[in-house]
mmCIF file of all heavy atoms in Angstrom:
data_model
loop_
_atom_site.group_PDB
_atom_site.id
_atom_site.type_symbol
_atom_site.label_atom_id
_atom_site.label_comp_id
_atom_site.label_asym_id
_atom_site.label_seq_id
_atom_site.Cartn_x
_atom_site.Cartn_y
_atom_site.Cartn_z
ATOM 1 N N LEU A 5 -6.813 3.978 -1.614
ATOM 2 C CA LEU A 5 -6.190 2.832 -0.960
ATOM 3 C C LEU A 5 -5.256 3.324 0.140
ATOM 4 O O LEU A 5 -4.334 4.101 -0.116
ATOM 5 C CB LEU A 5 -5.416 2.008 -1.993
ATOM 6 C CG LEU A 5 -4.764 0.713 -1.514
ATOM 7 C CD1 LEU A 5 -5.796 -0.232 -0.924
ATOM 8 C CD2 LEU A 5 -4.024 0.036 -2.667
ATOM 9 N N GLY A 9 1.335 -1.970 1.989
ATOM 10 C CA GLY A 9 2.142 -3.153 2.236
ATOM 11 C C GLY A 9 1.598 -4.348 1.492
ATOM 12 O O GLY A 9 1.006 -4.220 0.408
ATOM 13 N N THR A 13 -1.132 -4.121 -1.483
ATOM 14 C CA THR A 13 -0.716 -4.551 -2.823
ATOM 15 C C THR A 13 -1.682 -5.587 -3.373
ATOM 16 O O THR A 13 -2.062 -5.549 -4.547
ATOM 17 C CB THR A 13 0.710 -5.125 -2.774
ATOM 18 O OG1 THR A 13 1.610 -4.098 -2.354
ATOM 19 C CG2 THR A 13 1.143 -5.647 -4.137
ATOM 20 N N ALA A 25 -14.033 -0.669 -10.463
ATOM 21 C CA ALA A 25 -13.106 -0.207 -9.422
ATOM 22 C C ALA A 25 -11.973 0.601 -10.051
ATOM 23 O O ALA A 25 -11.282 0.124 -10.953
ATOM 24 C CB ALA A 25 -12.538 -1.396 -8.647
ATOM 25 N N ARG A 40 6.187 2.662 -4.087
ATOM 26 C CA ARG A 40 5.057 1.920 -4.641
ATOM 27 C C ARG A 40 4.147 2.854 -5.438
ATOM 28 O O ARG A 40 3.662 2.500 -6.521
ATOM 29 C CB ARG A 40 4.286 1.256 -3.502
ATOM 30 C CG ARG A 40 3.228 0.250 -3.941
ATOM 31 C CD ARG A 40 3.813 -0.954 -4.669
ATOM 32 N NE ARG A 40 4.888 -1.592 -3.989
ATOM 33 C CZ ARG A 40 4.774 -2.459 -2.996
ATOM 34 N NH1 ARG A 40 3.588 -2.767 -2.536
ATOM 35 N NH2 ARG A 40 5.842 -3.019 -2.472
ATOM 36 N N THR A 51 -2.618 11.898 4.463
ATOM 37 C CA THR A 51 -3.838 11.614 5.227
ATOM 38 C C THR A 51 -5.011 11.346 4.292
ATOM 39 O O THR A 51 -5.019 11.762 3.126
ATOM 40 C CB THR A 51 -4.220 12.787 6.149
ATOM 41 O OG1 THR A 51 -4.653 13.889 5.357
ATOM 42 C CG2 THR A 51 -3.046 13.199 7.025
ATOM 43 N N ALA A 55 -6.338 13.507 0.866
ATOM 44 C CA ALA A 55 -6.621 12.841 -0.409
ATOM 45 C C ALA A 55 -8.062 13.080 -0.852
ATOM 46 O O ALA A 55 -8.336 13.323 -2.040
ATOM 47 C CB ALA A 55 -6.346 11.351 -0.285
ATOM 48 N N CYS A 56 -8.994 13.033 0.093
ATOM 49 C CA CYS A 56 -10.403 13.262 -0.243
ATOM 50 C C CYS A 56 -10.645 14.706 -0.680
ATOM 51 O O CYS A 56 -11.559 14.970 -1.473
ATOM 52 C CB CYS A 56 -11.291 12.913 0.948
ATOM 53 S SG CYS A 56 -11.412 11.139 1.304
ATOM 54 N N CYS A 67 -6.000 -0.936 4.500
ATOM 55 C CA CYS A 67 -5.209 -2.179 4.529
ATOM 56 C C CYS A 67 -3.964 -2.016 5.396
ATOM 57 O O CYS A 67 -2.888 -2.506 5.066
ATOM 58 C CB CYS A 67 -4.793 -2.565 3.105
ATOM 59 S SG CYS A 67 -6.165 -2.969 2.014
ATOM 60 N N VAL A 112 -23.304 6.019 5.251
ATOM 61 C CA VAL A 112 -22.484 5.236 4.326
ATOM 62 C C VAL A 112 -22.299 3.826 4.887
ATOM 63 O O VAL A 112 -22.739 3.522 5.996
ATOM 64 C CB VAL A 112 -21.112 5.905 4.082
ATOM 65 C CG1 VAL A 112 -21.276 7.246 3.383
ATOM 66 C CG2 VAL A 112 -20.354 6.089 5.407
ATOM 67 N N GLN A 157 6.600 -6.051 10.066
ATOM 68 C CA GLN A 157 7.563 -4.975 10.219
ATOM 69 C C GLN A 157 7.367 -4.287 11.571
ATOM 70 O O GLN A 157 6.247 -3.975 11.959
ATOM 71 C CB GLN A 157 7.403 -3.947 9.087
ATOM 72 C CG GLN A 157 7.704 -4.522 7.705
ATOM 73 C CD GLN A 157 7.593 -3.471 6.624
ATOM 74 O OE1 GLN A 157 7.373 -2.301 6.896
ATOM 75 N NE2 GLN A 157 7.763 -3.893 5.376
ATOM 76 N N LEU A 161 2.899 -7.347 15.072
ATOM 77 C CA LEU A 161 2.052 -8.533 15.082
ATOM 78 C C LEU A 161 2.140 -9.284 16.412
ATOM 79 O O LEU A 161 1.203 -9.975 16.806
ATOM 80 C CB LEU A 161 2.439 -9.453 13.925
ATOM 81 C CG LEU A 161 1.466 -10.582 13.579
ATOM 82 C CD1 LEU A 161 0.118 -10.022 13.152
ATOM 83 C CD2 LEU A 161 2.038 -11.469 12.485
ATOM 84 N N PRO A 301 -25.523 -2.890 2.708
ATOM 85 C CA PRO A 301 -24.604 -3.737 3.486
ATOM 86 C C PRO A 301 -24.324 -5.039 2.756
ATOM 87 O O PRO A 301 -25.076 -5.435 1.861
ATOM 88 C CB PRO A 301 -25.369 -3.981 4.791
ATOM 89 C CG PRO A 301 -26.803 -3.804 4.428
ATOM 90 C CD PRO A 301 -26.844 -2.759 3.357
ATOM 91 N N ILE A 320 -11.244 -14.739 24.982
ATOM 92 C CA ILE A 320 -10.043 -15.579 24.879
ATOM 93 C C ILE A 320 -8.830 -14.778 25.307
ATOM 94 O O ILE A 320 -8.586 -13.677 24.807
ATOM 95 C CB ILE A 320 -9.875 -16.084 23.431
ATOM 96 C CG1 ILE A 320 -11.063 -16.975 23.048
ATOM 97 C CG2 ILE A 320 -8.550 -16.831 23.280
ATOM 98 C CD1 ILE A 320 -11.138 -17.269 21.579
#
Side-chain angles (χ1 to χ4, degrees):
L5 184 58
T13 298
R40 190 63 51 81
T51 69
C56 289
C67 296
V112 295
Q157 296 182 4
L161 194 62
I320 297 168

